[in-house]
Amino acid sequence: MRIKTFSLTTILVVLVQIISAQEKVLSKEEAVKLALENNFGIIIAKNNVEVAENNKNILNSGFLPSITGNAGANYQRDDSTFEFPGQFITDEDGNQVPRPDTDLYKAEAQRYNAGLTANYTLFDGLGRLYDYKRLKEEYNLSELQARETIETTILQLFTVYFEVARLSENIGVLEETFSNTKNRLQRAEYSFEYGQNNKLDVLNAEVDLVNDSINLMNERQTFKNTQRDLNVLLNQELIKVFRVDTTIVFTDPLTLDNYLNEGERNNIRMLQAEKNVMINDYSLKAGKSVFLPTIGLTGSYGWNLNQSAPSAFFPGINTNNTRNFALGANLTWNLFDGGSGITQVKNAKILLDSQDTLQEQIEQEVKRDIANAKGNYENRLEVFRLQEQNVNTATNNYNRSNERYKLGQITSVELRQAQLNLLNAKTSKNLAKYNAKLAELELLQLTGQLLNTNL
């Protein structure tokens, strides 16, 4: 019976390996590419940049003239009867007779007109100039905001990506632990059958095997859940299954030092703060335009065609065709608007001062964040190196304990403890490896280099 069970297990393991081999490997580069193309937050951020680009266009600047066209047509038809009471006319015989009524049927009148009016502001106190510059800076700010969204999404992406990688490596460790416990159970059963040990070793191995199986099942379920989390970030089908690259390469220390030297200058929060100061400065300058006059030009061209209907006194059709052209200039100076303009300028100055203060605050916070991130990265990297050494020590300890167990020099409980030590060492090393890489990515984000390095 045990032989059949072993054969079935072997077949299942082979099938799992075949299915895993068929799964597509999702590389880090491909994951980033999919996120940039499909992530919902990044798509919205790109749309916001397009809106800001439209706003900074010359068509939205106020520097172009406004041209208005108008046209009209009017048609009128009258049927009239004209009476002349008390009026007489001389007939052919020379007699005075009453003047007969006159009837006009289908008397048509038509009127047509068309015109163009153009207005252009020559000078508005420089308000539109500074508004145009402000719109350009708002576009630059939107690009920085989109970059921040992309950086945050990429960092979130690799947080989940590395979690998938960590869980996949942990599953391998747990499978190895399960296999070792299973072999121990088989040896304990053989030894019990031949009377070399008691039933306790068999029972201990069975309990340990059940625990290892449960741990493996839970880890696999967590792995599937995390894969679905990654699919959401990449906007892929939730049922999509893949493997990830578990290779980790850390940034060269010299390169990282260069990034740190320019970190404050390239930090995304610092760049945004600078743009906000410029935007508020342009808003203040544009607000001062209320103290200056506005000079504009106007021009118009018109055409009118009037065809009047015949009447009792003018039986023919009268046509009047006119064209006109006009140019004009105007100057408007709002000498006093009740004080609202002065209030707006004062408030704009206060907002600019607040933005300068906020920039100083952000500068201090960025320095702190970079220093903390650097310390965290160095600490986690050292922890990872120590965990690697711990794995070597735990491996040697388990191998020696296993040999001593075969020789009957230690108990199954002592062997199990060595096995658990090795399991914990390997899983802790996996956790330390990816924690160190995530700490590096956070440091790269703060220095503005997350999108400029090979991950």
Side-chain angles (χ1 to χ4, degrees), residues 260-384:
L260 289 172
N261 293 334
E262 302 292 330
E264 296 177 21
R265 183 182 305 174
N266 297 323
N267 179 270
I268 191 66
R269 291 187 63 199
M270 285 296 300
L271 295 174
Q272 288 179 352
E274 292 173 1
K275 293 301 178 185
N276 281 322
V277 170
M278 297 179 67
I279 289 172
N280 279 270
D281 183 54
Y282 286 138
S283 295
L284 172 60
K285 293 177 178 178
K288 293 180 179 179
S289 64
V290 298
F291 303 130
L292 298 175
T294 300
I295 302 174
L297 292 177
T298 60
S300 64
Y301 174 80
W303 168 76
N304 290 275
L305 176 63
N306 187 3
Q307 293 181 345
S308 60
S311 65
F313 302 99
F314 301 97
I317 297 177
N318 298 318
T319 302
N320 185 13
N321 191 346
T322 61
R323 294 176 176 83
N324 59 76
F325 177 77
L327 282 177
N330 57 74
L331 184 146
T332 303
W333 197 336
N334 192 353
L335 299 177
F336 184 69
D337 62 355
S340 61
I342 297 176
T343 303
Q344 291 177 3
V345 171
K346 288 182 177 179
N347 291 338
K349 288 181 179 179
I350 296 173
L351 292 176
L352 180 59
D353 291 339
S354 297
Q355 195 62 48
D356 287 333
T357 303
L358 181 59
Q359 184 180 15
E360 294 178 2
Q361 177 186 351
I362 292 176
E363 184 177 0
Q364 285 291 90
E365 292 176 351
V366 167
K367 289 180 180 179
R368 176 204 62 193
D369 293 343
I370 291 178
N372 290 345
K374 181 176 181 292
N376 291 337
Y377 170 64
E378 293 174 347
N379 181 71
R380 291 184 181 182
L381 191 60
E382 184 62 26
V383 169
F384 170 58

Side-chain angles (χ1 to χ4, degrees), residues 130-157:
Y130 290 119
D131 283 338
Y132 186 46
K133 291 183 178 181
R134 175 180 56 80
L135 291 173
K136 286 185 175 181
E137 292 305 325
E138 288 180 351
Y139 167 74
N140 295 332
L141 178 62
S142 70
E143 285 191 322
L144 292 174
Q145 291 170 341
R147 173 185 151 187
E148 182 181 26
T149 300
I150 292 173
E151 288 181 353
T152 302
T153 303
I154 295 301
L155 189 61
Q156 183 183 11
L157 166 67

Side-chain angles (χ1 to χ4, degrees), residues 96-258:
Q96 293 290 320
V97 297
R99 184 174 179 176
D101 296 340
T102 302
D103 295 325
L104 290 177
Y105 295 101
K106 297 182 180 180
E108 297 179 345
Q110 302 177 29
R111 297 180 180 87
Y112 303 95
N113 65 83
L116 289 175
T117 302
N119 293 281
Y120 182 69
T121 302
L122 290 176
F123 179 76
D124 68 341
L126 301 179
R128 62 181 175 179
L129 174 63
Y130 290 119
D131 283 338
Y132 186 46
K133 291 183 178 181
R134 175 180 56 80
L135 291 173
K136 286 185 175 181
E137 292 305 325
E138 288 180 351
Y139 167 74
N140 295 332
L141 178 62
S142 70
E143 285 191 322
L144 292 174
Q145 291 170 341
R147 173 185 151 187
E148 182 181 26
T149 300
I150 292 173
E151 288 181 353
T152 302
T153 303
I154 295 301
L155 189 61
Q156 183 183 11
L157 166 67
F158 278 106
T159 300
V160 180
Y161 184 94
F162 288 147
E163 181 64 9
V164 173
R166 185 185 72 84
L167 291 171
S168 65
E169 289 192 311
N170 283 355
I171 289 174
V173 174
L174 290 171
E175 287 175 344
E176 181 182 358
T177 302
F178 178 83
S179 178
N180 291 335
T181 304
K182 185 176 180 181
N183 292 334
R184 192 183 104 209
L185 174 60
Q186 290 177 345
R187 288 198 305 266
E189 289 175 340
Y190 289 146
S191 298
F192 176 73
E193 288 178 359
Y194 290 102
Q196 296 179 355
N197 61 8
N198 54 33
K199 186 66 174 178
L200 182 60
D201 284 347
V202 176
L203 295 176
N204 286 336
E206 288 178 347
V207 172
D208 293 339
L209 187 63
V210 171
N211 290 331
D212 291 343
S213 176
I214 292 174
N215 292 335
L216 184 57
M217 289 171 56
N218 290 336
E219 200 75 357
R220 284 173 174 167
Q221 183 59 45
T222 305
F223 175 77
K224 293 178 182 178
N225 294 343
T226 310
Q227 271 197 330
R228 283 189 279 269
D229 292 338
L230 187 57
N231 281 328
V232 170
L233 283 173
L234 301 178
N235 193 13
Q236 301 292 302
E237 295 181 0
L238 295 181
I239 61 175
K240 191 172 184 180
V241 180
F242 49 81
R243 292 184 294 121
V244 297
D245 184 8
T246 58
T247 305
I248 293 297
V249 179
F250 293 99
T251 304
D252 181 75
L254 294 178
T255 303
L256 196 58
D257 288 339
N258 292 333

Side-chain angles (χ1 to χ4, degrees), residues 7 24 37 40 47 53 60 64 96 110 133 146 175 208 263 291 295 321 376 405 409 419:
S7 300
K24 180 181 178 182
E37 293 176 352
F40 297 111
N47 290 339
E53 185 176 9
N60 192 44
L64 299 180
Q96 293 290 320
Q110 302 177 29
K133 291 183 178 181
E175 287 175 344
D208 293 339
F291 303 130
I295 302 174
N321 191 346
N376 291 337
Y405 174 73
Q409 296 178 351
Q419 185 184 34

Side-chain angles (χ1 to χ4, degrees), residues 89-97:
I89 60 173
T90 303
D91 60 7
E92 295 178 354
D93 299 330
N95 299 320
Q96 293 290 320
V97 297

